[in-house]
Amino acid sequence: PQERVHEEAACPLVEGLGQGLNATLLAYGQTSAGKTYTLGSCHKSCIPEEHQGIIPRFISALFRDIVYPKQDRVDIVIRVSFLELHNEDINDLLDL
């Protein structure tokens, strides 16, 4: 099921990024609905590929399909935000 979600929700975004568009991945739902599992923000070699979520699959596709093939011909800038909205508080998950 993770692969299907990625193919239907994220792959079109990677294609758009290749054309210079912006993209947003958003998970919305109640507590324990599976948002963290679906996004799968943890990318570790111990997690089988079929259980990896949208984020590691999206990043792999982005570099495989867009960045690496074009890096010699164009300048590429990637900006990333990873935010959590919880109880009306916005948390920057990349702010270490």
Side-chain angles (χ1 to χ4, degrees), residues 20-93:
L21 301 174
N22 295 321
T24 299
L25 288 170
L26 174 71
Y28 177 82
Q30 68 187 66
T31 301
S32 299
K35 299 176 298 292
T36 301
Y37 176 76
T38 300
L39 288 178
S41 56
C42 178
H43 181 63
K44 295 184 178 179
S45 58
C46 63
I47 298 175
E49 186 175 344
E50 64 269 13
H51 293 290
Q52 291 179 1
I54 291 175
I55 291 174
R57 291 171 188 265
F58 183 86
I59 297 299
S60 294
L62 174 65
F63 278 84
R64 180 190 66 233
D65 299 344
I66 306 299
V67 174
Y68 295 145
K70 294 183 178 185
Q71 66 185 352
D72 295 334
R73 299 185 314 249
V74 296
D75 291 330
I76 297 174
V77 176
I78 298 174
R79 292 187 179 94
V80 177
S81 299
F82 192 21
L83 304 174
E84 170 188 58
L85 176 61
H86 183 72
N87 292 332
E88 299 183 16
D89 294 324
I90 297 175
N91 302 307
D92 182 350
L93 300 178

